[in-house]
């Protein structure tokens, strides 16, 4: 890279497209249990999807048919893979319990990381790995 600092970023939003086998279960988990608001939804003969917001980033839930259509349009073949999602929360145990009640499986006990965060890893009903994390503020007790 040459020259001075870069100009304004041309990116206005980060959207994560998550392909799921059971969109109704995924919607229940991410919208109802995790509390992400639905900001857009669609259903066509080619597939259906929901866009859920969290902060300045969104989560796009799409079914397999919709993912195949998008991949075919953009790439010419099915290529999308999986990602791990991470959500900053105030109370890891409260959110962790709510997600487990909605079908998530705890993969490990919560830990305090070397970088100072409290983290807990779960697997959502759709197979997505989720990290819940909390960044302790000054004055918080370190557990």
């Amino acid at each position: 890279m040459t020259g001075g600092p870069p100009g304004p970023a041309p990116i206005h939003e980060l959207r994560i497209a998550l392909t799921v086998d059971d969109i109704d279960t995924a919607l229940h988990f991410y919208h109802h249990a995790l509390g992400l608001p639905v900001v857009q939804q669609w259903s066509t003969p080619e597939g259906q999807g929901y866009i859920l917001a969290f902060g300045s980033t969104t989560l796009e839930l799409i079914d397999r048919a919709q993912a195949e259509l998008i991949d075919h349009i953009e790439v010419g073949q099915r290529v999308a893979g999986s990602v791990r999602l991470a959500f900053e929360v105030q109370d890891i145990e409260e959110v962790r319990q709510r997600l487990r009640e909605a079908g998530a499986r705890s993969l490990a006990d919560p830990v305090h990381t070397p970088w100072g965060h409290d983290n807990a890893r779960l697997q959502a009903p759709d197979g997505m790995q989720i990290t819940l994390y909390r960044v302790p503020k000054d004055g918080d007790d370190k557990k």
Side-chain angles (χ1 to χ4, degrees):
M1 193 163 117
T2 61
I11 299 169
H12 300 284
E13 175 183 283
L14 168 64
R15 180 170 295 171
I16 301 165
L18 175 59
T19 302
V20 297
D21 290 323
D22 183 343
I23 201 158
D24 294 328
T25 297
L27 180 64
H28 175 77
F29 183 80
Y30 292 102
H31 175 58
H32 297 288
L34 194 56
L36 302 179
V38 173
V39 295
Q40 187 178 353
Q41 66 185 52
W42 64 94
S43 181
T44 68
E46 292 82 19
Q48 62 179 327
Y50 296 86
I51 296 177
L52 292 88
F54 53 99
S56 59
T57 305
T58 62
L59 172 61
E60 180 177 350
L61 295 176
I62 55 177
D63 64 15
R64 197 156 297 283
Q66 184 70 24
E68 290 172 5
L69 176 67
I70 292 168
D71 278 2
H72 181 73
I73 291 169
E74 294 180 355
V75 184
Q77 63 181 341
R78 182 77 174 110
V79 295
S82 296
V83 298
R84 177 176 57 85
L85 301 178
F87 297 97
E88 183 178 4
V89 298
Q90 278 192 314
D91 186 336
I92 287 177
E93 281 305 315
E94 188 273 327
V95 176
R96 184 173 175 241
Q97 182 59 34
R98 195 169 64 226
L99 295 183
R100 288 179 14 203
E101 289 171 1
R105 181 171 61 95
S106 290
L107 299 179
D109 289 332
V111 297
H112 186 76
T113 67
W115 52 91
H117 296 177
D118 298 319
N119 288 18
R121 178 70 66 92
L122 300 100
Q123 184 172 8
D126 57 33
M128 175 59 65
Q129 287 196 14
I130 305 266
T131 296
L132 300 176
Y133 71 97
R134 179 179 166 275
V135 179
K137 309 295 184 232
D138 288 341
D140 284 355
D141 290 335
K142 306 274 185 187
K143 293 184 179 180

